[in-house]
Amino acid sequence: MPAMLPESDSEDELPPAWEERATSDGFVYYVNHQSKSTQWTHPRTGKMKRVSGELPIGWTRQIEEDTRKVIFVEEKTQRKSYTDPRLAFAVEEAPERLSELRQRFDGGTNALQVLHGRDLNGKVALITGANTGIGYETARSLALHGCEIIFACRDEQATRAAIDKLRVEKEAAGQRCKFVPLDLASLRSTKQAAEEVKKGYKHIDMLILNAGVFALPHSITEDGFERTFQVNHLAHHYLTTLLSELFDHTTRIVVVSSESHRMATLPAGGLSETDLCPPQHKFWSMIAYNNSKLCNVLFAMELAKAKVVGSSAVSLFKIRWRVGVIFGLLVYVYAGI
């Protein structure tokens, strides 16, 4: 029986003379070159693993002419390896006891690794601020796995450049991307964007509220709100409400917040409009950002608490009322736009 070692970063390291391999149908096995034996369980952990049946995007499986061995080639760099690249994303079989469950992803995991092996063909994701940064990497990774992406962004030129960049990487992925103009600093623009989406789609599988601003000087939007608060929270809240008829129980809503929400200064009770939209002489851009990120967290918590995804528009109105209790009547100012 293999020795069971404590959990550690090096736990999966194989002992000398051992090699990890994978069958074509995704089963991981271990070869001991010294004893000329194989086994299905890891020689250190005693656990079994599986990999996706497909190679990661950009890799091909070939037969080396001279040796007739299987070799794996990364198309973009022409890097060659005898090691199956799927093994980098091997997943342990579900343990019998919950205490044996180990973390699969960490802070170093990228989106392509998380999505490896997933087929997202037929799915639709709307991502705000998808033309750059985290938004673009999210859109890129989803599109490369077959998802149709709605790029809801303010800058049309930058957005089309981002889609073209993706099209160069993989034509089919770029073809699945669509631009919808959305300026979160305008509730009118937010409403127009929602109406355009509803004309073209009957269902949204993923709504990713990613766009945001940081360290802006004090300014007021055309709707009369402090810009950081409106862009980071209020307009996203409004967009979610407007699109509610496109959600069902399978829809996932992701609200991108920040650890900065822990430094927010919003009072626990007696919240007023000036707390959310302070005048210039009381404005500090960092605090405005922190407060908007706390609003993101509270909004996501209320959505989850009310199980609004998959509920009717009436339920979404209830959630809007409950969030309104937290954030003050300010939430309702935009209801008639």
Side-chain angles (χ1 to χ4, degrees):
M1 181 176 177
M4 302 301 289
L5 301 181
E7 301 283 342
S8 72
D9 292 340
S10 60
E11 183 185 23
D12 286 330
E13 184 178 344
L14 292 170
W18 285 89
E19 180 187 355
E20 189 177 49
R21 295 180 181 176
T23 64
S24 58
D25 53 353
F27 289 93
V28 176
Y29 65 99
Y30 302 89
V31 179
N32 188 323
H33 292 289
Q34 187 173 4
S35 64
K36 307 297 182 184
S37 61
T38 63
Q39 63 187 56
W40 295 110
T41 56
H42 192 286
R44 285 188 184 276
T45 67
K47 297 178 180 179
M48 299 179 66
K49 291 182 179 182
R50 292 286 302 274
V51 296
S52 170
E54 299 179 358
L55 290 172
I57 292 172
W59 285 85
T60 59
R61 181 179 183 274
Q62 301 176 11
I63 303 296
E64 200 170 35
E65 292 185 7
D66 297 338
T67 64
R68 306 308 299 169
K69 291 183 178 180
V70 174
I71 191 167
F72 302 91
V73 181
E74 188 178 21
E75 296 175 340
K76 187 175 182 179
T77 63
Q78 288 301 299
R79 181 164 63 94
K80 298 180 180 180
S81 174
Y82 290 113
T83 302
D84 191 329
R86 296 178 300 169
L87 292 171
F89 313 112
V91 179
E92 289 179 354
E93 297 281 15
E96 294 182 1
R97 292 176 296 181
L98 187 62
S99 61
E100 297 177 357
L101 189 65
R102 298 198 299 168
Q103 181 173 313
R104 180 178 173 189
F105 303 120
D106 59 24
T109 307
N110 62 41
L112 282 176
Q113 291 170 337
V114 173
L115 292 171
H116 174 64
R118 298 296 183 94
D119 181 6
L120 299 179
N121 280 285
K123 302 292 186 181
V124 176
L126 187 154
I127 307 174
T128 64
N131 62 337
T132 188
I134 295 174
Y136 176 74
E137 288 303 320
T138 303
R140 170 179 173 265
S141 301
L142 292 173
L144 288 173
H145 284 80
C147 188
E148 184 174 351
I149 311 296
I150 303 171
F151 280 64
C153 306
R154 176 175 55 86
D155 190 330
E156 180 173 359
Q157 183 176 352
T159 303
R160 298 204 181 278
I163 294 175
D164 289 342
K165 179 181 176 182
L166 182 54
R167 187 178 288 112
V168 170
E169 183 173 1
K170 187 174 183 180
E171 177 68 23
Q175 293 290 350
R176 286 190 286 267
C177 298
K178 177 183 178 182
F179 166 67
V180 170
L182 169 64
D183 182 358
L184 294 167
S186 167
L187 296 178
R188 185 171 291 101
S189 172
T190 304
K191 184 176 182 180
Q192 290 170 347
E195 290 173 348
E196 182 172 340
V197 171
K198 287 189 283 189
K199 288 178 183 177
Y201 298 89
K202 299 297 183 183
H203 181 258
I204 290 178
D205 297 280
M206 289 165 269
L207 174 64
I208 302 175
L209 307 176
N210 162 79
V213 292
F214 174 77
L216 294 183
H218 182 271
S219 64
I220 302 298
T221 68
E222 64 184 47
D223 305 292
F225 302 111
E226 191 278 314
R227 188 173 299 273
T228 299
F229 170 70
Q230 177 168 328
V231 172
N232 289 2
H233 168 68
L234 187 61
H236 275 142
H237 186 299
Y238 187 33
L239 181 67
T240 305
T241 304
L242 293 171
L243 295 175
S244 62
E245 63 194 68
L246 303 186
F247 306 153
D248 64 14
H249 68 284
T250 66
T251 301
R252 295 294 178 264
I253 300 176
V254 178
V255 186
V256 179
S257 184
S258 166
E259 281 296 312
S260 293
H261 81 275
R262 302 181 187 278
M263 278 71 80
T265 61
L266 294 177
L271 190 62
S272 68
E273 182 174 334
T274 56
D275 292 317
L276 297 168
C277 298
Q280 186 167 3
H281 69 279
K282 292 185 177 181
F283 179 81
W284 183 14
S285 61
M286 191 68 229
I287 292 299
Y289 178 80
N290 297 347
N291 289 345
S292 71
K293 293 291 106 178
L294 176 60
C295 290
N296 290 158
V297 172
L298 293 174
F299 179 48
M301 290 177 63
E302 287 297 308
L303 284 173
K305 193 186 302 181
K307 297 181 180 179
V308 64
V309 176
S311 302
S312 65
V314 174
S315 294
L316 190 56
F317 180 81
K318 291 179 180 178
I319 175 65
R320 187 168 59 175
W321 171 260
R322 293 168 67 183
V323 176
V325 172
I326 296 174
F327 297 153
L329 296 178
L330 181 63
V331 172
Y332 289 96
V333 176
Y334 62 71
I337 293 179

